[in-house]
Amino acid sequence: MTIKEIANLAGVSISTVSKIVNNKDQNINSATRNRVLEIVKEYNYTPYGTVKDISMAKTFLLGVLLQDGSGFKTMLNGIVKAAQEKGYSILIFDSCHSSMDELKHITALCKNKIDGLLWEPVDQESMQHEHYFTDTGIPVVYVNSAFTVDTYSIDYQKLGYLCTEKLIQWRHQKIGCLMRENNFRSLQVLEGMKNCLFDHQLSLYDGMALHLSDSSCMASLTSGGITGVVSSDLEETLSLYSQLDKMHYHIPSDFSLIGLCGDDMASINFPPVSNYRIPFWNLGYEACRALINICEKNSDDKPGISLDAYYVLNHEESLNTPASCRGRKFVVLGSINTDVTLTVDGFPETGKSTLITNSSSCAGGKGTNQSMGSARLGHEAVLIGKVGNDADASLIFDAMSQNHLLTEGIYKDSGSQTGKAYVYVQKDGEVTITYIPGANLRLTADDVRSQKALFEGCEYLLLSMDIPMEAAMEAASLAKKSSAKTILKPSALSTLPEVFYRTTDIFVPNQQEAATFCPHIDTIEGQAEFFYKRGMPVVIITLGHGGCYVRAENLKKYFPSADFAAVDATGGADAFISALAVHLSDGYDLEKSVRIAQYAAGFCVSRQGVTTALVDKDTLYLHIGQTEPDLLSFQ
C-alpha cells in the first residue's frame, strides 16, 4: 500500500496524508485526520523505509510500563481490548518494583518509537525520568500513580465510603473495617469509611480497624458491639466468613459483611458475600482510550478520569439490619420438599386414567412454606430441616436465596433424595397430596440439638409434625427453654403425644385433625375446649372455606374466611400460621392477628401453588387498607 493509494481511499491529497502520519497535522480538521488514520491502520500503512527521518512517523504502537504486572491481568485485558478497537498494538514492560529496571524499560520504549505510554511509576523518584517522554514527544497517561494529580486509578477511598454507606442504609452504626497489615488498599478503604461515618455524624472509635492476624480480633468483633464489617480484601473476607461460621455466628443474621472483589473473581462461586466490584478491566480500557485520543488529537471523545460508574454492588445477600433493629426471629421446623402441582378435573380413582391439565414445580413443604411466608411479611425466619444432595435441593436453596431466608439450619443428606410432594388440585381448589418424605425422615434430635444457638433470642417456633417425632420433641423442648412460644400444626399425626400439651402455646389443627385427636367429641367448640383444658393456651381450628374457630382465655369465637375465590387450598394453613406469628410478634392482639392471617391465607389459596402464592406485606396491607382499614391499627 502506497501513500498515493491511501490518499485516494481517503479522498485527500498525498501531502495531507504525509502531514497526518508524521504528526504535522496541526491545521487539519479532526474529521479528516480520523478518516485518514482509520484507513492507515486498516491497511497497515507505514511511510517508505527510504525516507531518512521517520522519527515523527506514527507506529500505532503503545507502551505499557507497570510497577508490577503480576496482579493486573484483567486491567491488561482492558488495555488490549481498547487498543485493538483502534488498530494499535501493545508493548508491555514490567518493572517488578525496581527503579533500575524501570529506567531500562523507559529507554527501550523510546527506542521503539511508541506513539504513547500508559505508565504506573515505581516511586516518586520515577518522575525525574518523565523528561525522556516529553523530549521525544511521547504522550503519557498515568495509571495507579500516587505521584501525579491526573491518573487513572481505583478510588479505594470511594469504595470504602460506598461500602460503609450501604451498611448505614441498613441501619448499622458501629462498623468495623477488616484490613491487611501495612496494605495501601486497606488504608484507603479505612479512610473512606471514616469519611462516610463523619458525613453521617456517626462516631469514630478505637479498634475499628480489625486484623485477623491479631489474636483479639474475633473477641473484639463478637463482643464489641460491631454489627457490620467492611472488608478491603477478598481473601480476608472469606477467612472471616469461615471463622464466624466455626463459632456458630452467621451472616447476615448475626453480622452484615460487605467487601471488594476484583472483576476477575466475579464468576467464581464464593459464599454469598455482598461485594463492590473493583473494575480493573474498565480501568485499563478507559486509560487506553484516553491515551489513544491524545495520540490522535481527538478532543471530542475524551472520557473522564473518574471510574465511579463502574463501582457496582453485586447483591445485598450478606446484609441485614442489626439484630437490635429487627423483630425477634422465628425458628421453623417442618418438611422441605419439591412440590409438583398437578391441576386435574377430579382426583385419581382406582382403574381410571386422570387427565392433568396443567403442572408446575416449586419449593414446598410446610417448613419451607411457613418460613417463606414469614419472610415475605418482613420477619426473619430460619428453617431447620434436611434435604438430599440432588437437583431438587439446588432448586430449594435457590428459592430460599431469592427470598432472603437463612439456610444455616438445613442439612444435606447424601444418602436420600429430597422430599417430593405431588399435589392434585381440583377446579374448586380442593387438594389431595401424595408424598415421598425422602430426607425429611432423616432429621434427628441430634440435628436439632446442634442448632441450639438458633433458638437463642427466638420469639416463635413454627412446628409442623411432618418430620420425625424425636426431632419435633427436641425442638419444642429447646423452644420452651429459650422462652419462645410454639405454634404447632399437627399434620400427619394419628395421636398427639402428651408432651405437646405442655409445650404448645398455640395449637392450629384443621377440622379433620381435631376430630382425629378427640373422636369422642363431635362439635368444633367441644374439640377446642378439650385441647384448651388439656393445657394449650390458644386453640385455633381452621375450617377451610368456613374460616376458623378460636378458643383462648376470655375468647370463644368463629372468624369468617376472607372473601377470596379458592384456586389451590394447599398452602392456606401455612400462610395463616406465618401471618399469625408475624402479627402477634408485631404487637397486634389475638383477634386482629387471626383476622389479618385470614386475609393472608385468602391470598394464598386464590393462586396456584404455595411459595409462589404467599403474599408480601405491602400487597397484604394495601388490600386490607381498602377492605377493612381499622384492622391495621393497634387500638
Side-chain angles (χ1 to χ4, degrees):
M1 181 66 68
T2 65
I3 191 170
K4 182 177 180 180
E5 290 171 322
I6 293 294
N8 288 337
L9 287 171
V12 298
S13 67
I14 293 174
S15 63
T16 298
V17 175
S18 178
K19 289 176 182 178
I20 291 171
V21 298
N22 289 289
N23 280 323
K24 299 177 181 179
D25 52 3
Q26 292 81 0
N27 298 320
I28 297 174
N29 67 62
S30 59
T32 301
R33 180 191 310 114
N34 290 339
R35 186 169 73 255
V36 171
L37 287 175
E38 285 298 319
I39 294 170
V40 167
K41 288 181 285 187
E42 185 177 356
Y43 290 93
N44 298 301
Y45 171 76
T46 54
Y48 287 123
T50 55
V51 178
K52 293 183 179 179
D53 183 11
I54 59 169
S55 61
M56 297 297 292
K58 286 187 176 295
T59 61
F60 299 102
L61 179 65
L62 300 177
V64 178
L65 179 55
L66 298 177
Q67 176 192 119
D68 177 14
S70 60
F72 285 96
K73 178 182 177 182
T74 308
M75 184 183 77
L76 288 172
N77 288 341
I79 291 172
V80 170
K81 176 65 174 176
Q84 288 177 341
E85 288 179 352
K86 294 294 186 178
Y88 284 80
S89 299
I90 297 293
L91 192 60
I92 301 172
F93 287 88
D94 185 351
S95 299
C96 301
H97 297 283
S98 167
S99 298
M100 184 178 297
D101 285 346
E102 182 181 48
L103 181 56
K104 292 177 182 178
H105 296 331
I106 288 172
T107 57
L109 286 162
C110 293
K111 182 180 179 180
N112 278 278
K113 299 182 176 62
I114 57 174
D115 286 348
L117 175 68
L118 294 173
W119 186 13
E120 180 189 30
V122 169
D123 52 34
Q124 180 66 58
E125 293 183 2
S126 301
M127 304 311 297
Q128 66 183 329
H129 305 312
E130 187 179 26
H131 71 89
Y132 285 101
F133 302 113
T134 56
D135 291 348
T136 53
I138 297 174
V140 176
V141 168
Y142 289 96
V143 178
N144 295 325
S145 173
F147 318 113
T148 56
V149 175
D150 293 331
T151 178
Y152 279 82
S153 60
I154 303 297
D155 188 346
Y156 290 109
Q157 281 196 33
K158 176 73 173 183
L159 286 167
Y161 192 104
L162 290 172
C163 288
T164 308
E165 190 169 53
K166 181 57 67 174
L167 286 174
I168 292 171
Q169 290 171 4
W170 279 90
R171 301 170 65 186
H172 292 272
Q173 294 190 0
K174 191 167 185 181
I175 301 169
C177 185
L178 187 63
M179 306 179 63
R180 278 189 177 278
E181 293 282 356
N182 303 316
N183 180 269
F184 172 79
R185 180 197 296 183
S186 292
L187 293 172
Q188 291 294 297
V189 169
L190 178 62
E191 194 63 30
M193 175 179 163
K194 290 178 178 179
N195 293 339
C196 185
L197 293 173
F198 179 81
D199 289 347
H200 288 81
Q201 299 180 337
L202 295 175
S203 300
L204 306 182
Y205 62 94
D206 293 335
M208 64 194 306
L210 303 170
H211 299 88
L212 288 178
S213 57
D214 186 341
S215 59
S216 64
C217 175
M218 297 308 294
S220 299
L221 183 58
T222 57
S223 61
I226 295 172
T227 60
V229 176
V230 173
S231 176
S232 61
D233 181 86
L234 180 60
E235 187 176 335
E236 296 292 290
T237 300
L238 299 178
S239 180
L240 176 64
Y241 196 104
S242 175
Q243 290 191 43
L244 286 173
D245 187 63
K246 290 177 182 176
M247 297 171 67
H248 302 292
Y249 288 97
H250 301 289
I251 294 169
S253 55
D254 296 310
F255 294 96
S256 288
L257 178 59
I258 187 170
L260 310 180
C261 179
D263 45 14
D264 56 332
M265 307 295 285
S267 61
I268 299 177
N269 187 25
F270 291 120
V273 176
S274 304
N275 284 305
Y276 271 97
R277 173 173 167 260
I278 307 175
F280 293 122
W281 190 93
N282 300 97
L283 168 63
Y285 183 84
E286 296 294 348
C288 188
R289 276 188 59 206
L291 179 60
I292 292 171
N293 286 334
I294 295 170
C295 293
E296 298 185 354
K297 303 180 177 66
N298 190 350
S299 59
D300 297 330
D301 187 28
K302 283 189 178 179
I305 287 181
S306 173
L307 298 173
D308 288 4
Y310 302 112
Y311 300 147
V312 178
L313 186 65
N314 57 351
H315 55 70
E316 299 186 21
E317 292 181 26
S318 65
L319 304 178
N320 202 346
T321 51
S324 60
C325 301
R326 302 195 299 263
R328 294 172 66 193
K329 70 173 179 282
F330 301 162
V331 173
V332 183
L333 212 75
S335 60
I336 305 173
N337 304 321
T338 300
D339 281 357
V340 180
T341 302
L342 307 170
T343 305
V344 295
D345 292 332
F347 294 138
E349 298 179 29
T350 302
K352 292 184 178 180
S353 297
T354 301
L355 177 66
I356 298 170
T357 58
N358 191 33
S359 67
S360 61
S361 297
C362 62
K366 290 195 171 297
T368 306
N369 298 342
Q370 292 177 21
S371 56
M372 284 193 184
S374 302
R376 296 265 178 92
L377 295 172
H379 264 253
E380 185 177 68
V382 57
L383 176 59
I384 298 176
K386 189 166 282 191
V387 297
N389 189 18
D390 50 24
D392 285 340
S394 298
L395 182 149
I396 288 165
F397 278 107
D398 287 345
M400 291 180 177
S401 176
Q402 291 167 10
N403 286 272
H404 306 291
L405 283 173
L406 306 177
T407 59
E408 55 259 40
I410 299 178
Y411 298 91
K412 278 190 174 183
D413 188 321
S414 58
S416 57
Q417 70 180 96
T418 299
K420 183 169 287 189
Y422 295 89
V423 184
Y424 297 87
V425 183
Q426 293 188 142
K427 290 181 178 179
D428 61 0
E430 290 301 315
V431 303
T432 189
I433 300 173
T434 56
Y435 176 44
I436 303 172
N440 290 300
L441 294 182
R442 305 288 287 270
L443 186 68
T444 67
D446 286 340
D447 292 332
V448 176
R449 200 174 298 116
S450 68
Q451 299 293 338
K452 179 180 178 181
L454 296 179
F455 288 83
E456 296 173 6
C458 165
E459 185 172 10
Y460 281 97
L461 166 65
L462 309 188
L463 178 59
S464 294
M465 297 302 299
D466 50 356
I467 55 172
M469 182 65 69
E470 62 168 6
M473 288 182 173
E474 182 64 27
S477 174
L478 290 172
K480 200 73 172 176
K481 292 175 182 177
S482 300
S483 300
K485 295 180 179 179
T486 296
I487 302 178
L488 176 63
K489 173 63 178 171
S491 51
L493 288 184
S494 56
T495 60
L496 188 64
E498 185 66 29
V499 64
F500 291 110
Y501 289 100
R502 300 191 302 271
T503 57
T504 299
D505 297 278
I506 302 176
F507 186 49
V508 191
N510 61 27
Q511 192 170 356
Q512 292 76 23
E513 290 161 347
T516 298
F517 301 137
C518 48
H520 57 288
I521 302 173
D522 58 6
T523 66
I524 299 298
E525 297 92 335
Q527 292 164 354
E529 193 68 27
F530 171 82
F531 299 124
Y532 180 74
K533 287 184 176 179
R534 291 288 301 273
M536 294 175 169
V538 178
V539 180
I540 304 173
I541 300 179
T542 58
L543 307 172
H545 300 301
C548 66
Y549 177 78
V550 179
R551 174 67 170 103
E553 186 178 5
N554 301 320
L555 181 61
K556 301 178 182 179
K557 184 176 180 179
Y558 281 94
F559 291 81
S561 62
D563 187 19
F564 288 84
V567 173
D568 179 357
T570 309
D574 297 328
F576 178 90
I577 288 170
S578 55
L580 176 72
V582 164
H583 290 88
L584 288 172
S585 176
D586 286 347
Y588 289 89
D589 63 31
L590 179 60
E591 289 197 49
K592 284 192 172 183
S593 296
V594 168
R595 287 160 65 194
I596 294 171
Q598 292 281 47
Y599 280 102
F603 266 102
C604 186
V605 302
S606 69
R607 290 177 278 186
Q608 191 82 51
V610 181
T611 54
T612 54
L614 292 166
V615 68
D616 64 90
K617 191 170 189 176
D618 290 341
T619 303
L620 177 64
Y621 283 13
L622 178 62
H623 180 81
I624 294 175
Q626 295 171 345
T627 308
E628 198 176 349
D630 292 343
L631 185 55
L632 297 176
S633 69
F634 285 96
Q635 299 178 353

